[in-house]
Amino acid sequence: YAMLLSLIFLIVLVAAVVGFVFRHEIKTNFEGNLNRALRDYNVTVDRHSEAVDTIQRTLHCCGVQNYSDWEKTEYFTQKGFPQSCCKSLDDCSEEDLKDPSKAKQKVFVDGCFFLVTSTMESKMSVVAGISFGIACFQLIGIILACCLSQYITNNQYEMV
């Protein structure tokens, strides 16, 4: 049991170190995936399009760097900005979404990439604290499992 806990502890430790070391690559990869999701948005209704909509609605943002990123997409040439960019759904008509000058007042202008990464970085201390707490419990479990093993081994010889 102690060896199993040690293995899990090492896996978590390696994952944390790799995540910290490669955090810039993770950001770059996320930005590329977000750009790709915008480019392929709603060509086929899929979970990537739903994820973009959810991010834009939740964080009140539009596009990757800013709202003008949508102007380079195929979706924009057909339908304009997506509804998830609208500040208020009641005040956002399809005609407004097709015209970039009108849409600027009706859609969120901030990009999602900066908001997502800043949100993740602001929550990183909470994640680190929880991870440290779990690691402490695992270390206590490893020590107690080793003590129990030693106690069982010592008592086996006394029972005879």
Side-chain angles (χ1 to χ4, degrees), residues 17 26 33 36 44 47 57 63 67 102 118 124 126 160:
V17 169
I26 292 170
N33 286 333
R36 193 174 316 115
T44 58
R47 57 190 167 107
R57 263 191 240 104
Y67 77 102
K102 288 181 185 176
S118 63
M124 202 56 70
V126 173
V160 176

Side-chain angles (χ1 to χ4, degrees), residues 35-83:
N35 277 318
R36 193 174 316 115
L38 253 66
R39 188 182 65 235
D40 298 337
Y41 181 83
N42 222 10
V43 173
T44 58
V45 179
D46 61 354
R47 57 190 167 107
H48 298 288
S49 298
E50 292 174 19
V52 169
D53 286 336
T54 303
I55 289 171
Q56 291 182 152
R57 263 191 240 104
T58 306
L59 296 178
H60 304 290
C61 59
C62 187
V64 178
Q65 299 300 329
N66 58 37
Y67 77 102
S68 64
D69 292 335
W70 279 104
E71 296 174 23
K72 303 170 197 146
T73 65
E74 185 180 326
Y75 181 82
F76 180 80
T77 58
Q78 296 171 358
K79 299 180 181 179
F81 292 97
Q83 290 282 330

